[in-house]
Amino acid sequence: MTFVESYGPWAVIAGASEGVGAVFAAAVAKEGVNVVLLARRQGALDEVAASIRDESGVETRTVAVDLAAPTAMQTVADATRDVDVGLLMYCAGADPNYRPFLDNPVEVATAMVRRNCTVPVQMCHHFAGPMAERGRGGIIVLSSGGGFVGAPNMVIYGGSKAFDIVFTEALWAELHPRGVDVLSLVLGETDTPALRRLRAERGFADDADAPLPGVATVDEVVKDALEHLAHGPSWMVGEQLRAGLQMLGGMPRNDAVDIMMKAASATMDQGDGTS
């Protein structure tokens, strides 16, 4: 079957205003799949949608929605009631704070749990049913290497991404026999606008025109997502992440946490000397 026959005629991409989500939406649109773009910022969504229509000629639909809101799933369901969704990619959920657990009100933590755990569960349940009935379709949930071992400043982010990994792998075990491809796409550091904003806030003086050293590109992530969707349940993006996780997996968890503590300090707390 062609890509459209397997995963069309519509795809829903959560977190589509920039970075991985925007590039993934453009990539599936080039395959002829219409796209529903979800994110908070209507203006950014409109720009992505216009670019996709100009390049690919497919239909686009934008839905401005806060995926941490209790009503998020209902908003998405209402906006997609009249379209046949064959592909879901959930790539919202970056942590814009990177702060200790107790530095923020607990509502910040519970909002992240909704965005990274509750809403992906709701979306997968909502869209996977029709996919399983048709015997075709695809689901990709982005997770993080931070979900494998606990580390400072990522208490809820890491915990929620650990949930995403196991949830998506288990979903693959149930849906793959029914013809639905499911992939847990695990990322390390990825050169996205969100990462660059966070690094700038923490004192890094990155060259805007140069790639971040040792960091995966958005194009690499999207390429891996499309190549490995049919071969789930999990794929770790980048040789550096795969090697790191293999090393951590072979040692006692206490030692792995200690290494993650040191790595977090080295990569996120040392910029140009201002932090």
Side-chain angles (χ1 to χ4, degrees), residues 115-234:
R115 189 176 69 230
N116 288 5
C117 301
T118 304
V119 175
V121 168
Q122 291 172 329
M123 284 199 185
C124 287
H125 193 276
H126 180 79
F127 290 114
M131 292 180 192
E133 289 178 3
R134 292 192 301 267
R136 64 173 181 83
I139 295 171
I140 302 173
V141 178
L142 263 65
S143 188
S144 167
F148 282 88
V149 181
N153 299 327
M154 297 192 295
V155 172
I156 302 303
Y157 179 75
S160 63
K161 290 302 181 180
F163 172 89
D164 287 341
I165 292 169
V166 177
F167 162 70
T168 309
E169 290 175 343
L171 194 63
W172 174 88
E174 292 190 355
L175 294 182
H176 185 68
R178 303 182 65 180
V180 181
D181 296 326
V182 182
L183 178 67
S184 170
L185 192 68
V186 183
L187 276 57
E189 280 195 309
T190 304
D191 193 350
T192 63
L195 177 63
R196 285 183 176 263
R197 287 192 296 268
L198 179 59
R199 286 173 60 87
E201 291 170 3
R202 301 190 72 82
F204 285 77
D206 297 318
D207 184 345
D209 297 321
L212 297 176
V215 173
T217 67
V218 169
D219 288 340
E220 180 182 2
V221 172
V222 172
K223 178 176 179 288
D224 278 15
L226 295 174
E227 286 184 354
H228 293 276
L229 172 56
H231 311 290
S234 279

Side-chain angles (χ1 to χ4, degrees), residues 10-32:
W10 284 84
V12 171
I13 300 100
S17 59
E18 64 180 23
V20 173
V23 175
F24 183 82
V28 299
K30 288 179 181 178
E31 298 289 340

Side-chain angles (χ1 to χ4, degrees), residues 56-127:
S56 305
V58 300
E59 294 183 60
T60 64
R61 183 174 297 185
T62 62
V63 183
V65 56
D66 180 358
L67 293 169
T71 58
M73 185 61 238
Q74 188 60 56
T75 299
V76 175
D78 290 343
T80 57
R81 198 175 303 280
D82 61 334
V83 297
D84 184 1
V85 175
L87 180 62
L88 169 66
M89 185 185 208
Y90 197 95
C91 59
D95 184 1
N97 296 308
Y98 196 74
R99 293 287 186 272
F101 177 63
L102 295 179
D103 277 12
N104 290 312
V106 72
E107 288 77 15
V108 173
T110 54
M112 180 171 285
V113 170
R114 282 197 301 272
R115 189 176 69 230
N116 288 5
C117 301
T118 304
V119 175
V121 168
Q122 291 172 329
M123 284 199 185
C124 287
H125 193 276
H126 180 79
F127 290 114

